[in-house]
């Protein structure tokens, strides 16, 4: 059996992965708060842990892996969006949840085994909070219930910070009812116009951190194998999850392995609305600011070209290169059945802490060797080159051969007249339509390139 090694944030080292139960490998990944479109950074953990899900299924069998990714559908941001728009909260969350699923599906992400909504687990959250109060790890104050950070000696172990360091580096809510500034909310009161549920502490709603602990416990048990998410969640979210889960269930480990992906940049800068480089996944898929849409498979390829524990820089040039590569590869595998198994080198790269960049290097080698069957099977393990994601390579009915003949004729005429103005103009128009123009002594070759748009060829006929 393939041996997988994973970097564990808690121990700060790569470790040999040994599942608690090989017949039921369990993974939990924090999902989105559904109040708006997912931005590009939200998609990175989805793609990263989708590859891990695929690898675990390959090694242990599809029926022996349970993957949970939640939807937070009760949150102050959602309430604020409802107030701004005048739309019901359930309408907003239903719509944005569907948007998320469609956008992530366009990136080739498999749906997890379970996708729980926080509002469906309020009872479990209340029960866990009651257990924490009973055990002396939480206290009620002014309609709130707060976790007592000082009651858990291991608090800060995941992030590697002391409580003093965490206070200095965090935006801590100052409230008179807190015993300690670092104590965090498990339950808070709701006003009559806010969503709320009856509880022993009055009508209210859960704090953010308790959601994942309650859903993970209900679906995966007291201790499971892997917990993942972006590294911005390490503190306070994941630190708080560990504290409340281990205190509610003494003797449990909660999650054995903690994995965190690094953040995403755009053209070398932090993604920000103020910098004008903030994109949703839908923006890229559909096209924005006059730019053509980028296929989901291309976005996925760019993501996987950088190791998940390194910052990823999204650039237009990377997207163009990825699109060109995928077009060539899809031309190579057209009509070819995949090999019975991915190449061993691809499996080995992914098993080495998800070395997707190394795996892509192997895909380039397979393509260079003309191993179409091996390429298709190996890329498939990474969610690439599937039949379902190939529609974007269609030329939309454009006959590029006819345009190649026209350009060849213009070039032949220009060779006689020494006037290449028409040749240059025609080449420029083809390039503007996303066509790669390759001219040599052997003739003219036209290939759909990055941003290929058949509609822009209409005026060239």
């Amino acid at each position: 059996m393939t041996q997988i090694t994973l970097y564990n944030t808690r121990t700060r080292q790569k470790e040999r992965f040994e599942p608690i139960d090989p017949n039921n490998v369990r993974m939990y990944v924090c999902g989105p708060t559904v109040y708006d479109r997912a931005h590009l950074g939200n998609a990175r953990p989805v793609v990263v842990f989708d590859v891990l899900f695929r690898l675990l299924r390959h090694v242990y069998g599809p029926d022996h892996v349970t993957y949970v990714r939640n939807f937070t559908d009760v949150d102050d941001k959602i309430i604020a969006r409802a107030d701004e728009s005048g739309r019901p909260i359930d309408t907003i969350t239903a719509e944005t949840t569907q948007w998320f699923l469609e956008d992530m599906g366009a990136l080739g992400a498999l749906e997890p085994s379970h996708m729980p909504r926080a509002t469906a687990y309020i009872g479990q959250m209340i029960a866990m909070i009651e257990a924490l109060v009973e055990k002396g790890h939480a206290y009620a104050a002014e309609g709130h219930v707060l976790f007592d950070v000082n009651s858990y000696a291991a608090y800060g172990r995941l992030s590697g910070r002391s409580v003093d360091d965490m206070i200095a580096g965090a935006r801590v809510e100052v409230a008179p009812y807190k015993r300690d500034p670092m104590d965090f909310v498990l339950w808070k009161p709701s006003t009559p116009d806010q969503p709320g549920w009856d509880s022993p502490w009055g009508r209210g709603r859960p704090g953010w951190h308790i959601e994942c602990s309650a859903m993970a416990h209900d679906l995966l048990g007291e201790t499971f194998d892997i917990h993942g998410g972006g590294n911005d969640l390490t503190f306070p979210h994941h630190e708080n999850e560990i504290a409340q889960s281990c205190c509610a269930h003494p003797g449990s480990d909660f999650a054995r392995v903690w994995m965190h992906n690094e953040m995403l940049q755009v053209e070398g800068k932090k993604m920000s609305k103020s910098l004008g480089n903030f994109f949703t996944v839908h923006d890229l898929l559909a096209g924005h600011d006059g730019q053509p849409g980028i296929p989901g498979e291309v976005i996925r390829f760019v993501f996987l070209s950088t190791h998940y524990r390194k910052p990823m820089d999204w650039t237009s040039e990377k997207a163009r290169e990825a699109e060109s590569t995928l077009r060539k590869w899809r031309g190579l595998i057209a009509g070819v059945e995949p090999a019975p198994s991915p190449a061993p080198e691809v499996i080995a790269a992914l098993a080495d802490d998800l070395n997707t960049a190394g795996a892509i290097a192997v895909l380039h080698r397979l393509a260079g060797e003309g191993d179409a069957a091996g390429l298709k099977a190996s890329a498939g393990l990474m969610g690439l080159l599937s039949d379902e994601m190939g529609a974007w390579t269609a030329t939309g009915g454009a006959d590029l051969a006819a345009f190649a003949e026209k350009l060849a004729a213009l070039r032949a005429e220009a060779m006689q007249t020494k006037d290449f103005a028409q040749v240059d103009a025609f080449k420029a128009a083809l390039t503007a339509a996303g066509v790669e123009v390759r001219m040599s002594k052997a003739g003219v070759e036209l290939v759909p390139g990055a941003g290929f748009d058949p509609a822009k060829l209409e005026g060239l006929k």
Side-chain angles (χ1 to χ4, degrees), residues 175-210:
Y177 48 78
K178 284 187 174 185
R179 294 177 182 172
D180 186 280
M182 287 303 298
D183 292 351
F184 58 89
V185 173
L186 301 173
W187 188 263
K188 55 188 171 183
S190 292
T191 59
D193 61 330
Q194 293 176 331
W197 291 262
D198 291 333
S199 79
W201 317 283
R203 182 177 178 276
R205 59 191 190 276
W208 175 36
H209 311 298
I210 196 68

Side-chain angles (χ1 to χ4, degrees), residues 397-426:
D399 184 1
L400 295 184
F403 290 102
E405 289 177 9
K406 182 175 179 178
L407 181 57
L410 289 173
R411 185 174 72 158
E413 182 179 343
M415 295 292 287
Q416 298 297 322
T417 64
K418 306 304 180 183
D419 181 1
F420 287 86
Q422 290 190 63
V423 174
D424 293 339
F426 197 66

Side-chain angles (χ1 to χ4, degrees), residues 433-444:
V435 177
E436 291 184 14
V437 180
R438 302 170 184 171
M439 302 176 68
S440 66
K441 292 181 179 180
V444 174

Side-chain angles (χ1 to χ4, degrees), residues 297 301 324-334 336-347 350 358-387:
E297 187 174 37
F301 187 99
S324 178
T325 295
L326 288 168
R327 283 191 184 278
K328 292 174 185 175
W329 288 359
R330 283 199 168 275
L332 180 64
I333 67 168
V336 174
E337 289 296 316
S341 178
E345 301 94 326
V346 170
I347 298 172
L350 296 180
I360 286 177
V362 178
L363 298 186
H364 279 290
R365 179 175 62 76
L366 294 173
E369 295 171 351
D371 185 357
L375 174 63
K376 188 170 185 179
S378 301
L381 182 59
M382 303 177 69
L384 298 168
L385 300 186
S386 66
D387 293 339

Side-chain angles (χ1 to χ4, degrees), residues 46 72 129 260 379 393 429 460:
V46 173
T72 294
I129 295 170
H260 295 92
T393 56
L460 300 181

